Amino acid sequence: MRCGIYLRISKEEAGTGSNSISGQRMVIEQFIHGHKDMEIAGEWCDDGYSGVTFDRPGIKSLLENIYSGRIDCIIVKDLSRFGRDYIQTGKYIKYIFPGLGVRFIAICDNYDSQNSGFLEDALLMPIMNLVNDAYCRDISNKVRWQQEARRKQGIYIGAFAVYGYIKSDKERGKLIPDKYAADIVRWIFNMRLCGNSAEKIAGKLDAMEVPSPLVYKKINNSRFTTTFARSENPGWSPVAIRRILSNEIYTGVLVQGKDRKTSYKLPGRKKLPKEEWIRAEGAVEPLISRVTFEQVQKMDLRKGIK
């Protein structure tokens, strides 16, 4: 029997003993070693992926091999490794795999579709899948509340520092001024106060060969990527200038939580109203004064370019 091994661990579970990728592999290999009628036809792995969605590269590849008839049996450590969405997981195990003649084994849950009875299929299986789904919802809520608490404490939880700042090596979640970029930010505000438009400021920066925020991140070996870059070395744009001029962080106010995940099962996010944003006064060292910032906002409003 050609067996496909499937392994999965989420970012939240990383390094948790038997749930590690190596721990799962060991359990499955020992199981197959005790069954002479089984052989490993391949291994598929999703390292760092949540089980609430089946939009995972490893599971997609495994399913392609199943549909093409190259796999007779799927073996996982437990049901939660395969998936935590009880509806989708149940559909595959109860309908799709039996229809394809594919056997499904979850070792630690003592489930084998070849030997399962009515009680397991009709009652225990849905309950186990529902528990896995509820666990994932609970983890998602805990992560969200932890992030909100950290934001209220003025801890920066973004993946990349805002232009003008860098992440502190000494204090996690702390932003400190990046001397070079901070000077550029101050120069941009001064230029605006002198009456220069965003277009003119961007042109001057390009003429002075000042690296744009994206290029500057690349120079500093940041893994930052964006869909907005259309060339290898994109220059300054009026949009980038306006984004800097309207960012309150340069006055020392850290504003976070502007959006939220639509659902723990979906990748999309929804924007939150301004009154729900989380503001932390004095969370970072200011690069400009509040007076300067307010003056610039008034100028932009009059020009209608904000």
Side-chain angles (χ1 to χ4, degrees):
M1 180 173 289
R2 300 167 298 174
C3 298
I5 294 176
Y6 179 69
L7 317 168
R8 183 192 67 79
I9 190 168
S10 66
K11 293 178 182 178
E12 292 78 15
E13 297 172 308
T16 55
S18 63
N19 272 340
S20 67
I21 294 299
S22 59
Q24 295 175 54
R25 184 182 293 113
M26 180 181 68
V27 170
I28 296 174
E29 287 180 346
Q30 288 178 351
F31 178 85
I32 293 177
H33 183 70
H35 293 75
K36 303 301 180 183
D37 60 333
M38 294 181 176
E39 65 176 10
I40 299 176
E43 176 184 297
W44 288 266
C45 176
D46 283 313
D47 193 344
Y49 286 84
S50 170
V52 299
T53 173
F54 279 81
D55 186 18
R56 300 171 246 148
I59 200 70
K60 284 182 176 180
S61 178
L62 171 61
L63 292 173
E64 287 175 3
N65 279 271
I66 291 170
Y67 290 132
S68 62
R70 292 191 286 268
I71 299 294
D72 303 312
C73 176
I74 305 167
I75 304 180
V76 295
K77 174 181 169 285
D78 57 54
L79 285 168
S80 66
R81 297 307 98 201
F82 182 68
R84 289 192 182 276
D85 183 323
Y86 76 99
I87 295 177
Q88 281 286 84
T89 301
K91 183 175 73 172
Y92 277 109
I93 296 174
K94 290 184 63 179
Y95 302 105
I96 297 178
F97 294 156
L100 296 171
V102 174
R103 184 177 176 183
F104 183 88
I105 299 173
I107 299 170
C108 294
D109 288 325
N110 197 32
Y111 179 82
D112 184 342
S113 62
Q114 181 173 276
N115 304 318
S116 65
F118 173 79
L119 184 62
E120 287 177 307
D121 285 337
L123 181 61
L124 295 184
M125 176 65 71
I127 291 176
M128 291 166 71
N129 286 333
L130 187 59
V131 168
N132 287 328
D133 192 305
Y135 168 82
C136 202
R137 184 189 301 112
D138 182 57
I139 290 294
S140 177
N141 287 335
K142 286 179 179 177
V143 169
R144 180 163 61 87
W145 289 117
Q146 287 172 356
Q147 288 182 338
E148 185 169 324
R150 295 180 69 194
R151 286 169 177 150
K152 288 179 178 178
Q153 294 171 7
I155 298 173
Y156 184 72
I157 64 172
F160 302 95
V162 179
Y163 183 76
Y165 294 93
I166 56 174
K167 289 187 175 183
S168 172
D169 293 329
K170 298 179 180 179
E171 189 175 349
R172 188 176 181 183
K174 181 73 173 178
L175 294 181
I176 58 176
D178 175 351
K179 189 177 185 311
Y180 174 82
D183 286 341
I184 299 300
V185 170
R186 296 187 187 99
W187 183 87
I188 289 172
F189 274 90
N190 287 331
M191 289 292 289
R192 183 70 191 110
L193 286 176
C194 291
N196 293 281
S197 66
E199 289 78 5
K200 191 169 184 177
I201 295 172
K204 283 181 176 290
L205 287 168
D206 283 338
M208 294 186 297
E209 298 185 350
V210 175
S212 67
L214 177 58
V215 174
Y216 189 61
K217 284 185 171 68
K218 290 181 178 179
I219 292 173
N220 287 281
N221 297 317
S222 170
R223 293 176 296 171
F224 178 80
T225 58
T226 176
T227 56
F228 295 107
R230 297 185 178 181
S231 63
E232 281 296 314
N233 296 299
W236 285 87
S237 69
V239 172
I241 299 299
R242 290 168 189 151
R243 188 179 296 122
I244 289 173
L245 291 172
S246 62
N247 197 332
E248 200 174 2
I249 193 173
Y250 300 119
T251 67
V253 181
L254 186 57
V255 182
Q256 300 184 95
K258 294 182 178 181
D259 57 23
R260 182 181 298 160
K261 285 195 69 173
T262 306
S263 165
Y264 72 98
K265 292 184 179 183
L266 302 172
R269 304 185 70 86
K270 65 176 181 180
K271 293 185 180 299
L272 297 177
K274 196 170 183 177
E275 54 269 21
E276 292 186 27
W277 295 357
I278 298 175
R279 293 167 50 86
E281 301 276 349
V284 296
E285 183 180 329
L287 302 185
I288 61 169
S289 69
R290 167 59 64 174
V291 172
T292 295
F293 183 79
E294 295 296 345
Q295 286 177 337
V296 166
Q297 304 320 296
K298 291 177 182 178
M299 291 176 66
D300 285 346
L301 286 172
R302 283 204 307 269
K303 294 291 185 180
I305 63 172
K306 190 176 178 182

